[in-house]
Amino acid sequence: MLRSLVGSEMCIRDRDVFEGSGDAISGDGFWGPGLIYAWQPWSGHYAVPPTVWASAHTNQFAKPGWRILWAASGNLAAGGSYVSYMSPDGSQWAMVLETGQAACHHCNYDNTTYATVPQTVHIQLVSPLAESPVYLWHSNQSHWFIQLGEVEVSAGRLELVVQPDSIYTLTSSTGQAKGATSSPPPSSQSFPPEWSDDFESYPVEGVAKYWADQCGSFQVVVGDGGNKVLEQRVLEPAGVNGWGQELAFPTSVLGGWNSSDSNVSVNLHLPVAKLHHAQPSFVWRAGRVFGGRHVSSRRLGSVADAKK
C-alpha cells in the first residue's frame, strides 16, 4: 500500500492528480489513479485508499499561492527526496520528505534511489522562520497521516531521523487534520440483476444514472417521437474528446465488471440528419467490457439501415 502512497506523492508534486474521485468502472482499464474510489453509484459504496493521505502530506500544508523553494529541495543522501514550500509572505513553510520505493505508470516516474536504511536529516532555518514551532506528520505501512507532535529546534537547527518507506511533512503551520466519516460507507453490491430505463425521469440535457461515457458525450434529449432518449451529442469527428487509448467511436458503459451472463435489449434510432457526414455511423452493443476492450459485441444498426 505504501508503494501506491509514495508513488502518488510523486505524481502530485509533478502535476494535478488524474482524477479527484476515482469513479471509473472497475476493470475498464483506467482504474486506480483517483484519490477516492466511488465506482458503484447503485450501492453508494466508496473507499478511501492511501493516495488521499499522500496528497494530504502536500496540499494540507502548501496552499494556493505558495511557491516551491528549489534551493531547499532535492534528493536525500541515503535515498528518497524532499520538496520545500513557502507562503507568499514568507511567514510559513513546509517540507515534504519521502523515502519509499515507488513507481507511477501514469506519469512514467520510476524511483530507483529509494532508502533502505534510516538516515538523519539536518535542517537549518533562518529568521523569521527559526522562531516558529515546527510540527511533524508521518505516514508509513502501519499508519497514515499521523501528527507526531512538535520537533525540537535549537538556534534554528533541527534533526529528523527519517525511516525507509515513509512520507514526512515538517511544517510551521497548524490546522491540519485527518478527516473521518461519521458512519461507514454502504456495503459494496453488484449491479442490479434487473435494470431498465426509459429516460423519462431526467431533465433535458441531463445525464442518465449508471452510464459511464468512455468517448463522446451521452445526454438525455427529446427524441423525434416525442419521448426522451439517450443521445450521443458530440458531432465532431470521433475521438476528438476521446480518452484512454483514443477510443475510435463514441462509447458509454453500463453495469458492473463482475456481472454474470446477461440478456440485453435496446430500442435505437439513427437520426440521419444529425450525423456527421465524415463519420461511419452505426450503433453497436458490446458485452463484458474489460480493460478498454470487449469480449463480445454485436452491430445493431447503421446509416444504411436507417435510410431504408
Side-chain angles (χ1 to χ4, degrees):
M1 296 293 277
L2 188 79
R3 183 180 177 88
S4 170
L5 189 149
V6 175
S8 297
E9 171 66 21
M10 296 300 97
C11 281
I12 292 164
R13 291 181 186 180
D14 182 60
R15 59 183 175 88
D16 291 339
V17 70
F18 188 76
E19 54 186 352
S21 173
D23 50 8
I25 295 176
S26 178
D28 75 345
F30 310 102
W31 172 251
L35 293 182
I36 296 179
Y37 300 156
W39 67 98
Q40 291 184 348
W42 51 86
S43 70
H45 179 71
Y46 66 90
V48 181
T51 47
V52 74
W53 307 124
S55 170
H57 270 279
T58 295
N59 60 29
Q60 280 208 31
F61 302 91
K63 306 299 182 182
W66 285 43
R67 58 190 177 92
I68 296 178
L69 301 177
W70 295 109
S73 304
N75 294 322
L76 297 173
S81 64
Y82 61 101
V83 179
S84 299
Y85 305 88
M86 180 174 285
S87 63
D89 62 3
S91 63
Q92 301 288 335
W93 66 279
M95 176 184 287
V96 184
L97 307 94
E98 62 78 26
T99 58
Q101 180 182 4
C104 177
H105 65 278
H106 298 293
C107 64
N108 296 322
Y109 175 84
D110 182 18
N111 178 13
T112 57
T113 58
Y114 58 92
T116 58
V117 296
Q119 56 188 307
T120 301
V121 177
H122 302 272
I123 300 172
Q124 177 67 61
L125 301 173
V126 297
S127 183
L129 302 181
E131 284 75 49
S132 301
V134 178
Y135 306 97
L136 178 64
W137 293 75
H138 182 221
S139 293
N140 64 12
Q141 292 280 13
S142 63
H143 58 260
W144 305 328
F145 202 59
I146 301 300
Q147 186 177 24
L148 299 183
E150 189 173 339
V151 179
E152 181 179 353
V153 180
S154 178
R157 293 179 60 87
L158 64 91
E159 292 185 355
L160 176 65
V161 178
V162 176
Q163 300 293 330
D165 291 329
S166 294
I167 299 178
Y168 296 87
T169 298
L170 290 163
T171 184
S172 61
S173 63
T174 59
Q176 298 79 19
K178 183 176 181 179
T181 59
S182 58
S183 59
S187 60
S188 175
Q189 298 179 15
S190 298
F191 189 77
E194 295 185 7
W195 173 254
S196 64
D197 199 340
D198 60 9
F199 308 112
E200 294 295 338
S201 63
Y202 306 107
V204 173
E205 299 294 342
V207 178
K209 65 180 180 180
Y210 305 164
W211 288 90
D213 298 349
Q214 306 299 302
C215 179
S217 179
F218 293 77
Q219 294 173 293
V220 175
V221 300
V222 177
D224 294 340
N227 59 306
K228 291 182 179 178
V229 299
L230 186 64
E231 181 177 82
Q232 204 292 117
R233 300 289 285 164
V234 178
L235 303 182
E236 296 300 319
V240 167
N241 69 330
W243 66 288
Q245 304 176 13
E246 291 298 327
L247 299 175
F249 304 107
T251 304
S252 192
V253 178
L254 174 73
W257 70 272
N258 59 345
S259 297
S260 58
D261 293 345
S262 303
N263 293 319
V264 179
S265 64
V266 58
N267 295 324
L268 64 94
H269 174 60
L270 285 170
V272 178
K274 294 183 179 180
L275 297 173
H276 194 281
H277 67 88
Q279 292 304 295
S281 300
F282 59 90
V283 178
W284 64 294
R285 180 183 65 196
R288 301 185 184 277
V289 177
F290 187 82
R293 297 171 294 277
H294 62 275
V295 175
S296 62
S297 65
R298 180 184 178 188
R299 185 160 166 159
L300 301 182
S302 67
V303 169
D305 299 329
K307 290 180 177 179
K308 293 179 180 178

